[in-house]
Amino acid sequence: MVTRTRLYHDGTLVLEDFPVSDVPAHLADPASVLWLDLHRPGAAELTMLGQEFGIHELALEDAAHHGQRPKLDRYRTHEFLSAYAVTVSPDGAQLTYSEIAVFLTSQAMITVRKDDGLDIEDVVARWDESPDLAGHGVGFLLHGLLDHLVDGHFAAVQQLDDSIEDLEGLLFAAGRREIEAVQRRVFALRKSLVQLRRVVLPMREVVNTLMRPGLHLINDPLAPYYQDVYDHVLRATEWTESLRDLVASVMETNLSVQANRMNLIMKKVTSWAAIIAVPTAITGYYGQNLPYPGFGRESGFVTSAAVIVLLSALLYLTFKRKDWL
């Protein structure tokens, strides 16, 4: 297990990367606020965490298991938050998400990272960029984390939107490879959007709950910053929903384009069949073993050939004018 620590005293960063064993001594000072980050902790480390900070066993169980829904659970002495950081491959074909569990007490924020997907350095950089807010305690630390996560959600939605726009150039292409590419990418994008929606949609309730006055995590100076995060959550949620409708529209358009191409092919095949039927009918007529005008004479052959050419040309021009060929 890899750990990181930070200690703030009266809104000033005073210590970093100190041993976990020093945490109880630092918390004895009411003016101290600390951040403890646990990377891939085991069962023993989580048990120790529960003993040192009084974490409820149900919250520890949620932190140990993968696949939790983004949520905020309130306990008597602390809160438990579950959230996800997401990234999208350049082609939008694969969504990668990293789960993070967060324990919030009056003096500490403990993050439990289960993999390497969360860019924790960016979170630390956001804290360092706003030293004037550090005096607001745990709410300041939580804002930097949520701001990073929500910005990642927003960037993922924007990237998926760009991928859908790139499909417009392939949607009306006639090549077989382009058609197969559209079908595969549409399916991949729809799958990514479904997964992203499961991560983004519950964050609206999480941030909304954090902003309620009874939680006492956010004071008045921090309220506008959390409101900004909430606005980003709403935009990401609404954008995700609109992209789902757009992907469905792309799928329907793709099916319509394929149906129109099939109708066009059928028109062409039918038109050529009609043209070919003319010489077939005439040659079949002249192939009868019965006397007819021009029978056994060169004039009969010339007449039949002329009729074939004229009627075939007439049908071709007619179908061409109607855009059937």
Side-chain angles (χ1 to χ4, degrees):
M1 181 186 68
V2 179
T3 62
R4 292 190 60 175
T5 52
R6 269 197 166 201
L7 178 66
Y8 291 85
H9 190 273
D10 289 329
T12 303
L13 177 64
V14 295
L15 197 59
E16 282 189 89
D17 297 326
F18 53 87
V20 179
S21 58
D22 295 345
V23 168
H26 291 306
L27 290 179
D29 185 353
S32 296
V33 173
L34 65 85
W35 167 57
L36 172 61
D37 177 61
L38 306 178
H39 184 219
R40 299 180 185 272
E45 288 80 7
L46 290 177
T47 301
M48 178 273 296
L49 184 68
Q51 295 173 350
E52 292 291 338
F53 291 90
I55 306 298
H56 197 279
E57 60 180 355
L58 292 179
L60 293 174
E61 182 180 352
D62 288 343
H65 290 82
H66 292 269
Q68 296 294 321
R69 182 178 183 271
K71 62 179 181 177
L72 178 68
D73 292 337
R74 301 183 62 182
Y75 296 91
R76 186 176 61 85
T77 60
H78 62 90
E79 284 77 29
F80 171 75
L81 185 147
S82 177
Y84 289 85
V86 297
T87 55
V88 182
S89 60
D91 59 353
Q94 185 175 3
L95 179 73
T96 304
Y97 49 90
S98 174
E99 187 174 358
I100 180 172
V102 184
F103 301 102
L104 303 167
T105 69
S106 59
Q107 288 182 262
M109 184 178 83
I110 304 108
T111 54
V112 178
R113 293 184 289 139
K114 304 176 183 180
D115 50 47
D116 300 320
L118 176 66
D119 185 5
I120 198 66
E121 296 299 333
D122 183 73
V123 178
V124 174
R126 289 172 187 259
W127 292 335
D128 293 338
E129 291 171 358
S130 305
D132 54 316
L133 299 178
H136 301 295
V138 176
F140 155 73
L141 297 174
L142 181 59
H143 170 264
L145 176 62
L146 290 178
D147 194 40
H148 168 77
L149 295 177
V150 173
D151 283 352
H153 299 170
F154 200 82
V157 177
Q158 186 172 16
Q159 190 172 345
L160 289 174
D161 191 6
D162 294 338
S163 299
I164 295 174
E165 289 184 0
D166 292 340
L167 286 178
E168 294 179 0
L170 298 175
L171 192 58
F172 299 98
R176 179 178 177 181
R177 293 182 179 179
E178 288 79 1
I179 295 174
E180 292 180 353
V182 169
Q183 293 173 344
R184 290 176 180 175
R185 291 183 62 181
V186 166
F187 177 79
L189 286 169
R190 187 172 187 180
K191 181 179 179 181
S192 297
L193 281 170
V194 170
Q195 294 175 337
L196 183 62
R197 183 176 183 272
R198 296 173 183 171
V199 173
V200 173
L201 189 61
M203 286 299 295
R204 178 172 57 186
E205 182 61 27
V206 169
V207 179
N208 187 36
T209 303
L210 286 170
M211 295 173 62
R212 293 174 183 171
L215 201 58
H216 304 297
L217 272 175
I218 304 172
N219 52 25
D220 291 339
L222 283 179
Y225 296 93
Y226 275 86
Q227 184 62 49
D228 180 69
V229 173
Y230 185 68
D231 291 340
H232 280 77
V233 171
L234 288 181
R235 289 181 61 191
T237 303
E238 294 170 356
W239 201 350
T240 302
E241 294 294 337
S242 64
L243 287 185
R244 291 182 65 203
D245 296 337
L246 184 57
V247 168
S249 177
V250 170
M251 294 180 66
E252 294 175 358
T253 302
N254 184 48
L255 293 176
S256 299
V257 169
Q258 300 306 315
N260 291 336
R261 287 186 182 135
M262 182 61 68
N263 291 336
L264 182 60
I265 291 172
M266 292 303 298
K267 287 196 301 182
K268 291 182 177 181
V269 170
T270 303
S271 300
W272 283 114
I275 294 174
I276 295 173
V278 172
T280 302
I282 294 175
T283 54
Y285 176 79
Y286 278 91
Q288 298 179 95
N289 294 322
L290 296 172
Y292 53 84
F295 180 77
R297 298 178 184 177
E298 185 178 353
S299 60
F301 171 76
V302 174
T303 302
S304 63
V307 171
I308 290 174
V309 172
L310 290 174
L311 290 180
S312 297
L314 179 62
L315 287 174
Y316 179 83
L317 293 174
T318 302
F319 294 151
K320 193 71 174 178
R321 185 180 61 183
K322 294 184 177 183
D323 197 25
W324 287 14
L325 289 174

